[in-house]
Amino acid sequence: PVSGSLYGPRFLTGGLGGSITHQCFYSITPANKYDRKYWCKIAENGVCYTIISSTDFTSEEYVGRVSLQDIPQNGTFAVTMTGLQSSDTGRYRCGIGPTRGGLYASLNLTVLADAAVSRPLQLIQGELHGSVTVLCPSGDTQGGGKRFWCKVGRTSCTLIADSDGYMGRHYLGRIFITPQESSGAFKVLINDLMKEDSGLYRCGIERHSSQEVVLQVTTASALPRRPKFLSGTVRGSLSFKCHYDPKRSYEKKSLCRWEGGSCSLLLDTDGFVHESYRGRVQIAGSDPEHGTYTVVMSQLRKEDAGWYWCRAQSGHTEHTSSVKLRIHEEICSSQNPETTTPVKPISSSPAASSTPTRGSTTGLMDVMGTVTKSTTVGIVTTATSTLLPTATPGTFRTSPGGTYHK
């Protein structure tokens, strides 16, 4: 039997004599890929009468002006209606399986004399434990509006994150809304993807245009779940690996610190090192054949505790992974499941930047280990350390969010 989820836009608008294309997105399972797909209109008595199905059925009154195309490998099918009439206004469903009892998504279609063209949905697919990049449309080129990402429900859109620093508790450390570009567009980066992340979303700028996005997380993923926590000690050192696909070409690899939904750059393969980490962080080496690069942090301080992201960038595409660093006053016991195999301490020489390698991260981070106290001579005083600036102003909040209404 069909299973999983099915998504589509909740509202469509078409012009008299014009056409609309409705996209439905479904979980890619063997049953869903090969079962019957259909499009029906809900009558006043509540019955949904089939207009067209993938079993070669087309209602007589719609012959010649409706079509259905299924693309099982993408988990999507599209219904196109042409020659729109006023009588086409109403409630519809797209579904899989029997018209009664299968999976379906409902929507309202409005036919107007001078209707604006509906913006098509954006389909984003990601692997379980991997990462995705969502490009949101331009709208407010002056940069005055609040950027947001929300999940569409039956009556409203539940806020997940915004550029003022709000963050839903299930997304702590794994979502980042980038600053706006000159066009007014921005990106939403999400990593450590979960099955529950699949669904219909909306991103945009408050009081301006928004984009509906369908996110599909494929559960048949080859990506293993990696440790999300590192443990280190004050004045000690640690290292971790960032993984990427060596077959892909990406312009830059970097490490940034995630705070309140922003990610401040610490280190990149172009040679940049943040002032407060100079001499204590470096890309110690890379392995292009296996698609990894190693980040080493030394002379650890209590204020280094927090979330960090590996990032690989090329144009609008980014692949990310996140890890949370915990700093202890003394060496962790070997019984601590988050403590990893010790590695040799590194010196406090100025951070070196490795030569950029070609490839992209795949949302994986492999913990190499923590080490004992550094052998560096001298005293490290935390009182004079420089805290990272927060890239996006605003108070970090984790209380239940509001909603964006359509």
Side-chain angles (χ1 to χ4, degrees):
V2 294
S3 61
S5 304
L6 189 147
Y7 311 99
R10 304 299 170 88
F11 301 93
L12 278 179
T13 304
L16 276 174
S19 65
I20 56 98
T21 296
H22 177 76
Q23 293 173 288
C24 277
F25 304 88
Y26 54 88
S27 302
I28 305 175
T29 66
N32 290 351
K33 288 171 69 174
Y34 303 110
D35 212 329
R36 169 182 179 263
K37 314 298 189 302
Y38 68 88
W39 171 255
C40 65
K41 186 175 184 180
I42 303 174
E44 290 185 2
N45 61 6
V47 176
C48 202
Y49 293 96
T50 302
I51 294 174
I52 189 171
S53 74
S54 58
T55 55
D56 293 330
F57 170 80
T58 303
S59 176
E60 185 176 342
E61 61 181 295
Y62 288 91
V63 171
R65 68 184 192 99
V66 64
S67 63
L68 187 153
Q69 181 184 20
D70 186 22
I71 310 176
Q73 62 269 27
N74 289 341
T76 180
F77 70 94
V79 175
T80 299
M81 288 179 60
T82 61
L84 291 175
Q85 307 164 6
S86 298
S87 58
D88 289 329
T89 294
R91 294 172 61 218
Y92 293 79
R93 287 177 185 167
C94 65
I96 305 176
T99 306
R100 295 182 180 180
L103 287 177
Y104 66 84
S106 303
L107 72 145
N108 289 323
L109 170 63
T110 304
V111 179
L112 302 172
D114 55 351
V117 178
S118 297
R119 186 190 296 270
L121 267 73
Q122 183 181 172
L123 172 62
I124 302 292
Q125 291 179 316
E127 292 183 281
L128 190 66
H129 312 315
S131 68
V132 291
T133 302
V134 181
L135 181 63
C136 294
S138 57
D140 177 14
T141 56
Q142 303 303 313
K146 179 164 62 178
R147 306 180 300 284
F148 68 89
W149 173 254
C150 63
K151 191 166 189 177
V152 177
R154 292 189 177 276
T155 59
S156 61
C157 201
T158 303
L159 182 63
I160 290 173
D162 66 27
S163 56
D164 281 354
Y166 173 77
M167 192 70 46
R169 64 188 182 91
H170 294 297
Y171 289 83
L172 287 176
R174 66 186 192 96
I175 189 169
F176 169 36
I177 297 179
T178 68
Q180 282 181 260
E181 301 173 0
S182 57
S183 64
F186 63 95
K187 289 177 286 188
V188 177
L189 311 177
I190 310 171
N191 60 39
D192 193 26
L193 290 171
M194 308 175 185
K195 290 186 293 184
E196 311 87 75
D197 291 332
S198 293
L200 180 63
Y201 295 83
R202 188 176 299 133
C203 69
I205 300 174
E206 201 171 37
R207 297 183 299 277
H208 291 81
S209 63
S210 64
Q211 167 76 53
E212 285 195 325
V213 178
V214 170
L215 173 58
Q216 288 182 331
V217 179
T218 57
T219 55
S221 171
L223 303 178
R225 189 175 182 88
R226 298 283 178 165
K228 286 188 64 67
F229 300 95
L230 280 171
S231 291
T233 59
V234 173
R235 301 185 186 90
S237 303
L238 58 82
S239 67
F240 53 86
K241 280 186 179 180
C242 294
H243 291 243
Y244 59 90
D245 182 356
K247 297 177 183 178
R248 293 204 175 193
S249 176
Y250 279 76
E251 298 163 0
K252 182 188 296 185
K253 301 176 187 70
S254 61
L255 181 75
C256 64
R257 181 164 181 176
W258 186 96
E259 289 184 285
S262 302
C263 213
S264 301
L265 180 64
L266 301 189
L267 172 78
D268 66 27
T269 48
D270 289 340
F272 172 83
V273 181
H274 192 279
E275 180 182 357
S276 64
Y277 283 78
R278 200 161 292 158
R280 342 190 265 119
V281 64
Q282 63 177 314
I283 294 179
S286 62
D287 184 355
E289 183 178 352
H290 296 96
T292 66
Y293 62 97
T294 302
V295 176
V296 180
M297 297 177 65
S298 64
Q299 302 174 56
L300 294 172
R301 306 168 182 172
K302 288 190 67 175
E303 61 268 25
D304 289 335
W307 287 97
Y308 293 82
W309 278 33
C310 284
R311 295 174 68 182
Q313 301 165 261
S314 181
H316 286 303
T317 303
E318 298 198 29
H319 291 274
T320 69
S321 59
S322 57
V323 66
K324 189 173 186 179
L325 174 58
R326 292 170 175 172
I327 304 297
H328 304 277
E329 290 287 355
E330 57 185 28
I331 300 173
C332 298
S333 166
S334 60
Q335 299 302 313
N336 188 331
E338 292 174 2
T339 303
T340 51
T341 306
V343 298
K344 294 180 179 180
I346 66 169
S347 68
S348 58
S349 58
S353 175
S354 66
T355 303
T357 55
R358 298 174 70 82
S360 67
T361 60
T362 59
L364 306 184
M365 182 172 286
D366 183 23
V367 177
M368 288 186 63
T370 60
V371 303
T372 58
K373 295 183 179 179
S374 171
T375 57
T376 304
V377 177
I379 298 175
V380 179
T381 56
T382 58
T384 58
S385 63
T386 304
L387 292 179
L388 274 178
T390 300
T392 304
T395 303
F396 179 57
R397 295 164 284 141
T398 58
S399 58
T403 59
Y404 279 86
H405 294 278
K406 178 70 180 180

